[in-house]
Amino acid sequence: MPQLIAVVGATGTLGRTVVEVARAEGLEVREIARSRGVDIVTGEGLDEALRGVQLVIDCFKPPTLEAEQATEWFHEAMSGLGDAARRAGVTRTVVTSIVGIDGMQDYGFYRAQLAHEQAAREHCPGTVIVRATQFHDFVGNMLVRDGDGDGDGDGEGLQVMEAPSQPVDTRAVAALLLRTALAEQPDELLQIAGPQVENTLDQARRLLAARGDATPVTGAPASESMSRGGMLPGPEVPTAGPTYEQWLDEHERHDRTNRTHDPNRTDDTNRTHDTTTGDASRQGGERT
């Protein structure tokens, strides 16, 4: 009998990809998100959303990135989700997390993310953790106007936290999450990384160049652990493509070509400037 999979945070960057990959593979998926009328903290709509579900994949993020508030939110969310999952008869909860957070506890949100893992193990049935390196769109989400937050700079350029990274495609992460959910006896912790080490400042400059945007980008200091390579995977972590350059070809240069040749399209090629938060915790998910 086919198993029903609930994706929590189904409208975020990763959750949306999980839903797309699952349906392409013929799997039955139920989307859980506030925009779908379900709130895992208040419990609104949650029991109904989990009715008949056997497997849960957690792709959500908290409504705040401040460490203490996010930690409290994670505890409340995982407690509520876990209780509802047990009532529904869920047998496995696959939780998305970030590679290397144990060694990056000098960054506040990563302390909260580690608490997320711990709360899931405490409250949710059959918890398995899947840690991924940052996604290919990570640097685009981190770009901020030069001078934002510290008063330095003239506001004419952009800044990005500079650190080594090994970004991964969300499709590869989605595929691993689904394999893990469906596996008979998965390991309690799995990891995945992209195939190539990058530098976030170099990535940001290549991203804007791919968009035809000549705005200058400078590097901003990262936390000590990130600067030392904390976001990089260990040698034991499996890798999967495509590379960042291949992703740029597919998602940015291809999109730019389409915009150039389609006079009816009104996409804003400078969208990064208006939508970013500049926070290193940006790992695609839905505030559910």
Side-chain angles (χ1 to χ4, degrees), residues 98-126:
I98 303 171
V99 164
I101 56 173
D102 308 82
M104 292 187 286
Q105 292 296 287
D106 57 346
Y107 182 73
F109 184 77
Y110 287 176
R111 293 195 297 274
Q113 184 63 43
L114 197 58
H116 177 196
E117 294 185 6
Q118 294 164 348
R121 291 189 180 101
E122 179 181 350
H123 295 290
C124 297

Side-chain angles (χ1 to χ4, degrees), residues 259-278:
R259 285 192 295 270
T260 300
H261 290 92
D262 185 351
N264 297 316
R265 231 177 129 156
T266 58
D267 303 50
D268 178 6
T269 57
N270 292 323
R271 60 194 179 279
T272 298
H273 302 192
D274 301 322
T275 61
T276 55
T277 67

Side-chain angles (χ1 to χ4, degrees), residues 45-97:
L46 187 55
D47 283 328
E48 178 63 27
L50 290 177
R51 185 168 290 122
V53 168
Q54 292 85 36
L55 310 170
V56 170
I57 297 178
D58 156 12
C59 300
F60 62 77
K61 292 196 313 182
T64 175
L65 302 177
E66 194 280 323
E68 291 187 7
Q69 294 178 34
T71 297
E72 182 178 351
W73 188 91
F74 275 133
H75 279 292
E76 292 180 3
M78 300 317 289
S79 176
L81 177 62
D83 288 347
R86 293 184 190 281
R87 288 193 297 271
V90 169
T91 58
R92 178 166 301 150
T93 309
V94 182
V95 177
T96 310
S97 191

